[in-house]
Amino acid sequence: MRRTMVAGNWKMYGTRASVAELLSGLGQLALPDSVDVAVIPPSLFINQAIAELHGTSIAVGAQNCAVEANQGALTGEIASSQLVDAGCTLVLVGHSERRQVIGETDEVLCRKFAAAQASGLVPVLCIGETLEQREAGKTLEVVGAQLSSVIAAVGIEAFTSAVVAYEPVWAIGTGLTASPQQAQEVHAAIRSQLAKESAEVARGVRLLYGGSVKAANAVELFGMPDIDGGLIGGASLNADEFGAICRAAGN
Ligand code: PGA
């Protein structure tokens, strides 16, 4: 059985004061034992999150890591081994905002995926189509190509300790959510693509849905057979809302 996972991507949000308030709210949540819960703050707040959430079941991840696993001369970057040293257990790789705004390519994010795993972090690989691509009927082709470039670079076995997040770009931060059926269709395609390489890996890998998930739509989304939880942006900045989403994942 795959354990459900809910991860809160705080993106570039937060001040010392708002993060302290959010962490204190998260620390008071009663979370279901059956769900792996994580928060992914801006790197500036990783230490604070790890200190404040110590003793809770909430894991802490990073939004990005360097292409190199080891520390070195690479100004402005953070090595995956440094994230592990800080206490992180996972890292986002290939979020659409990084692909689109920063210009992160498949080649770069494949190196980040490999560096993360070399350090013992679980990469959460984000893939998804734009509205234009969906309207052109290219969703499965685009998502399939994003996934296959990573499989080609790191090998199928790497997915035994990775998570994949399907995040349609048109649903991120827009209030538009993929319907449970639309999301399930893509999740099933992702799992069958992985199954072509290894049925066992495909059965075990967790596929998260991301894109305007809220407490109000989480139950239906998480009820789909190939949706194993969520990557939550905006709604993860409110502890009570995030807690409600985690409880929805526990049902
Ligand atoms: P959203 O973001 O929940 O605010 O749509 C999801 C994400 O980008 O991970």
Side-chain angles (χ1 to χ4, degrees):
M1 257 313 265
R2 298 184 293 269
R3 270 178 72 78
T4 312
M5 179 174 182
V6 175
N9 171 16
W10 296 0
K11 308 195 181 197
M12 198 173 64
Y13 289 103
T15 60
R16 284 190 300 165
S18 72
V19 166
E21 193 185 323
L22 178 53
L23 288 170
S24 125
L26 291 170
Q28 285 161 32
L29 293 176
L31 294 169
D33 291 336
S34 58
V35 182
D36 289 337
V37 177
V39 293
I40 309 178
S43 46
L44 196 56
F45 301 119
I46 284 173
N47 283 332
Q48 193 180 345
I50 285 169
E52 290 295 321
L53 297 174
H54 184 79
T56 74
S57 60
I58 305 178
V60 178
Q63 296 174 16
N64 181 39
C65 67
V67 293
E68 301 290 345
N70 296 324
Q71 54 181 297
L74 196 45
T75 304
E77 291 294 282
I78 300 177
S80 47
S81 58
Q82 292 176 306
L83 295 170
V84 170
D85 181 57
C88 288
T89 52
L90 65 152
V91 61
L92 298 182
V93 174
H95 191 281
S96 64
E97 287 150 15
R98 296 199 60 84
R99 292 180 193 255
Q100 296 196 318
V101 184
I102 316 284
E104 211 161 89
T105 60
D106 281 331
E107 193 218 321
V108 164
L109 65 91
C110 286
R111 290 177 65 194
K112 292 183 175 186
F113 186 109
Q117 284 196 327
S119 304
L121 289 177
V122 172
V124 179
L125 172 68
C126 304
I127 55 181
E129 82 289 359
T130 63
L131 184 59
E132 202 184 5
Q133 290 164 334
R134 173 162 285 264
E135 285 175 346
K138 296 208 164 116
T139 298
L140 298 184
E141 184 187 321
V142 168
V143 170
Q146 289 171 338
L147 181 61
S148 69
S149 78
V150 182
I151 299 173
V154 299
I156 187 67
E157 292 303 323
F159 285 83
T160 50
S161 50
V163 172
V164 179
Y166 167 57
E167 299 204 301
V169 177
W170 49 272
I172 295 178
T174 56
L176 295 172
T177 316
S179 68
Q181 294 72 22
Q182 282 174 321
Q184 167 59 26
E185 184 196 5
V186 182
H187 282 233
I190 293 169
R191 203 178 299 285
S192 76
Q193 185 176 349
L194 293 166
K196 284 196 190 111
E197 312 281 332
S198 162
E200 197 189 333
V201 171
R203 256 196 311 276
V205 70
R206 288 181 289 184
L207 307 181
L208 311 184
Y209 169 77
S212 299
V213 177
K214 330 180 239 309
N217 57 25
V219 173
E220 263 199 299
L221 284 161
F222 299 163
M224 303 310 280
D226 287 295
I227 301 183
D228 306 310
L231 181 56
I232 321 300
S236 71
L237 296 170
N238 178 300
D240 290 335
E241 180 77 9
F242 186 65
I245 295 169
C246 294
R247 284 192 294 280
N251 289 333

